[in-house]
């Protein structure tokens, strides 16, 4: 399928509202990011996180959106796009991204 996880367009959101001075989305600060791990039935411990994408860092969150080789929606009625401000850096004492475990267990 030619999917390249290093070319993730998560920060290239198209805002259909078209308000020139208003952004309707934001980029979370690193200390607000969560990592999920899943434990499937029969597993006593969750699997290691195995995201195919790059590690989430403050620099990654602040990076400019990637440019697409294909259509980027330029022809959609000339709707203006506004990027949110970059996220604040993590607070002093930040120890890493929060990790949450999800267990897939049958409901009785």
């Amino acid at each position: 399928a030619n999917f390249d996880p290093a070319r993730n367009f998560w920060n290239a959101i198209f805002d259909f509202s078209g308000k020139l001075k208003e952004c309707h989305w934001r980029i979370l600060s690193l200390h607000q990011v969560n990592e999920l791990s899943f434990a499937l039935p029969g597993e006593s411990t969750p699997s290691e996180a195995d995201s195919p994408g790059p590690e989430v860092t403050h620099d990654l969150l602040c990076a400019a959106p990637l440019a697409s080789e294909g259509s980027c929606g330029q022809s959609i009625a000339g709707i203006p796009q506004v990027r949110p401000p970059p996220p604040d850096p993590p607070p002093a004492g930040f120890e890493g991204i929060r990790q949450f475990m999800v267990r897939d267990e049958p409901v009785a």
Side-chain angles (χ1 to χ4, degrees):
N2 295 325
F3 175 73
D4 181 358
R7 293 198 43 82
N8 186 329
F9 290 88
W10 69 269
N11 65 351
I13 309 283
F14 191 91
D15 182 354
F16 286 92
S17 69
K19 296 185 178 175
L20 191 56
K21 297 185 184 218
E22 210 174 316
C23 187
H24 290 94
W25 63 284
R26 70 184 181 104
I27 301 171
L28 295 175
S29 294
L30 189 60
H31 70 281
Q32 296 172 303
V33 172
N34 298 313
E35 183 178 273
L36 299 176
S37 295
F38 295 90
L40 300 173
E43 291 182 341
S44 59
T45 59
S47 57
E48 289 283 325
D50 63 350
S51 170
E55 178 184 357
V56 179
T57 64
H58 180 69
D59 289 341
L60 180 71
L61 295 173
C62 293
L66 297 174
S68 173
E69 292 83 29
S71 172
C72 297
Q74 306 88 315
S75 63
I76 302 180
I79 298 172
Q81 296 298 295
V82 177
R83 278 194 52 78
D88 292 331
F94 175 70
E95 295 182 8
I97 294 174
R98 289 178 291 190
Q99 297 184 349
F100 290 93
M101 184 183 65
V102 178
R103 290 191 176 279
D104 184 16
E105 297 177 349
V107 176

